[in-house]
Amino acid sequence: MNLFDVYPLNDITIVKAAGAYVWDDTDQKYLDLYGGHAVISIGHTHPHYVQRLTDQLHKVGFYSNSIKIPLQVELAEKLGKVSGKENYQLFLCNSGAEANENALKLASFYNGRKKIIAFKKAFHGRTSLAVAVTDNPNIVAPVNQTDNVIFCPFNDEAALETTFKSNDISAVIIEGIQGVGGINVASNNFLQKIRNLCDEYDAVYIADSVQCGYGRTGKFYSHDHSGVNADIYTMAKGMGNGFPVAGVSISPKIQPKHFMLGTTFGGNHLACAAALSVLEIIEKDALMNNAKEVGDYLITELKKLPKIKEVRGKGLMIGIELPEELKEVKKNLLFKHKIFTGEAKPNVIRLLPALNITKVEADIFLEALNVELKA
Ligand SMILES: Cc1ncc(COP(=O)(O)O)c(C=O)c1O
């Protein structure tokens, strides 16, 4: 049997990883500023993470949501505390798309409506409704197409207001910083406007925090920079440091009913142990502070480099837009300088490192990029 060939691959096989580094099968070491797409939040094979998962595996790895799982309660309490949303409720699932799918369903259950506002260049996942609110026709199958989604321009308050006035809106879904779309930061005014309009029309504000959340921007949710609360936060990537686990944090105004949502694997013992160990490290090692500090440093230093069109982002979610003639830089960083970075179309390098990256590691990248830009 062959693999279903949907991923363009780099010819690299990673066999070992520790902290901010990975090694291939020839023992070549790479600096990882990509974290497998913003997934590695506390560093590869963090000792506390490995220990907690190993211990849990020796006790019980999985049982379904038909019995009490105290680890889920522990996780909800910890997440409430670290995220500063202690009165919210947690639904656990397995991936970012699934978290968004459930968030959009919850909104519709809540107000009985169907219309959703999403934004140009948004990415919310590949399942039915998540892909329908994603602005990329290439990945929307005919069966996913729906008239229920309205795409508005990003950061355009007037267009948003007009759309609210002429439609019966159920929910607005927005990334605090668009990731796949190229690191575009939602302005604080825009997020405040969404809050106000959702209040006025009793619609649900869904903060997709799958990529920009979990401490990456220096606050737990990047939406927190705006000073307003969303009704629902979705999270995944950094939550389990590589273990598949996702969550939906739900404001008390939305009340649960039995069987309203559900999943077989969501919130299993191993997933909770992984997620708890991540939060423990974020808290103990003050990783949100580190994300802000090293992120600010990187952004300041990047802005001094030549030829870059624009540097965007917050904390450790950084986009470096390069001119067309420098489109080889990302490849050179990987194959010449042995540094993993992410990308976004048409020519943006995305930095999504672990939250405990050091200034020394940031400097290694800055030096390599400088060499490439001067070449
Ligand atoms: C903002 C955002 N939402 C949702 C998703 C989907 O997450 P998953 O791939 O875990 O389904 C992604 C993945 O890149 C994302 O960046």
Side-chain angles (χ1 to χ4, degrees):
M1 191 181 208
N2 290 323
L3 292 173
F4 196 57
D5 186 14
V6 290
Y7 301 111
L9 300 177
N10 289 308
D11 187 15
I12 296 173
T13 305
I14 293 173
V15 294
K16 192 172 77 177
Y21 291 94
V22 296
W23 286 259
D24 72 11
D25 51 1
T26 67
D27 217 25
Q28 173 65 55
K29 185 179 179 183
Y30 297 80
L31 175 61
D32 184 13
L33 301 184
Y34 174 55
H37 209 66
V39 166
I40 299 301
S41 47
I42 58 166
H44 290 279
T45 58
H46 190 290
H48 177 65
Y49 174 82
V50 173
Q51 191 61 53
R52 216 177 191 301
L53 271 170
T54 308
D55 291 348
Q56 189 58 48
L57 197 50
H58 282 295
K59 290 183 205 155
V60 50
F62 172 83
Y63 205 82
S64 76
N65 285 300
S66 58
I67 45 112
K68 284 185 175 173
I69 303 180
L71 280 169
Q72 291 184 352
V73 179
E74 203 186 320
L75 175 57
E77 276 167 11
K78 188 85 174 168
L79 181 65
K81 180 165 169 259
V82 178
S83 68
K85 317 269 182 240
E86 277 167 289
N87 59 343
Y88 280 51
Q89 313 150 86
L90 178 64
F91 177 74
L92 288 161
C93 50
N94 311 283
S95 71
E98 194 186 348
N100 285 331
E101 198 81 26
N102 280 301
L104 292 162
K105 277 175 75 171
L106 271 181
S108 183
F109 277 135
Y110 167 75
N111 52 28
R113 304 180 199 148
K114 295 181 182 176
K115 297 275 183 201
I116 302 160
I117 295 178
F119 296 96
K120 297 278 183 212
K121 293 197 176 173
F123 185 91
H124 298 292
R126 292 165 182 276
T127 57
S128 177
L129 202 44
V131 85
V133 291
T134 289
D135 183 25
N136 179 355
N138 294 333
I139 62 170
V140 179
V143 72
N144 304 131
Q145 285 164 4
T146 165
D147 292 336
N148 288 331
V149 180
I150 304 162
F151 286 98
C152 285
F154 196 64
N155 278 340
D156 184 335
E157 293 176 43
L160 186 70
E161 192 155 354
T162 310
T163 310
F164 259 97
K165 275 191 186 137
S166 47
N167 294 278
D168 205 13
I169 299 299
S170 171
V172 178
I173 183 164
I174 182 166
E175 298 157 83
I177 301 178
Q178 291 185 332
V180 176
I183 312 293
N184 306 309
V185 181
S187 73
N188 289 342
N189 284 348
F190 193 58
L191 297 178
Q192 288 156 8
K193 185 79 181 175
I194 291 175
R195 178 67 278 162
N196 291 340
L197 287 167
C198 283
D199 284 342
E200 190 181 337
Y201 290 91
D202 198 25
V204 175
Y205 172 179
I206 301 172
D208 182 337
S209 305
V210 168
Q211 187 167 154
C212 60
Y214 244 76
R216 177 156 295 285
T217 65
K219 291 196 184 285
F220 195 80
Y221 300 117
S222 77
H223 297 75
D224 290 342
H225 293 279
S226 71
V228 293
N229 283 329
D231 298 308
I232 300 181
Y233 298 86
T234 56
M235 63 211 80
K237 295 189 187 293
M239 188 173 186
N241 202 45
F243 196 95
V245 52
V248 188
S249 174
I250 305 154
S251 118
K253 83 176 196 193
I254 301 174
Q255 284 300 306
K257 269 199 233 143
H258 282 173
F259 307 117
M260 189 184 204
L261 305 178
T263 153
T264 299
F265 295 119
N268 67 71
H269 298 73
L270 267 184
C272 288
L276 272 164
S277 72
V278 168
L279 287 175
E280 283 155 5
I281 296 301
I282 287 180
E283 207 178 25
K284 181 172 138 304
D285 295 347
L287 293 192
M288 286 193 257
N289 291 347
N290 191 66
K292 173 166 172 36
E293 211 174 293
V294 181
D296 284 352
Y297 172 70
L298 267 167
I299 290 172
T300 307
E301 294 304 309
L302 282 165
K303 285 187 171 163
K304 296 180 191 162
L305 295 183
K307 295 188 190 165
I308 292 174
K309 269 171 92 175
E310 195 176 21
V311 179
R312 296 188 291 268
K314 273 194 187 131
L316 291 174
M317 183 163 184
I318 302 172
I320 307 160
E321 182 157 354
L322 296 174
E324 167 66 18
E325 65 269 20
L326 292 180
K327 63 177 191 303
E328 298 300 303
V329 169
K330 183 183 174 289
K331 221 167 60 194
N332 290 345
L333 284 169
L334 179 58
F335 291 105
K336 271 170 51 189
H337 301 273
K338 312 296 178 193
I339 301 175
F340 274 97
T341 59
E343 69 182 327
K345 300 277 180 282
N347 207 12
V348 180
I349 291 178
R350 267 194 293 170
L351 302 183
L352 300 160
L355 307 184
N356 48 10
I357 187 187
T358 62
K359 275 195 183 152
V360 173
E361 286 146 359
D363 280 336
I364 295 173
F365 168 73
L366 289 165
E367 225 176 282
L369 183 62
N370 201 18
V371 168
E372 281 306 309
L373 296 179
K374 284 188 175 155

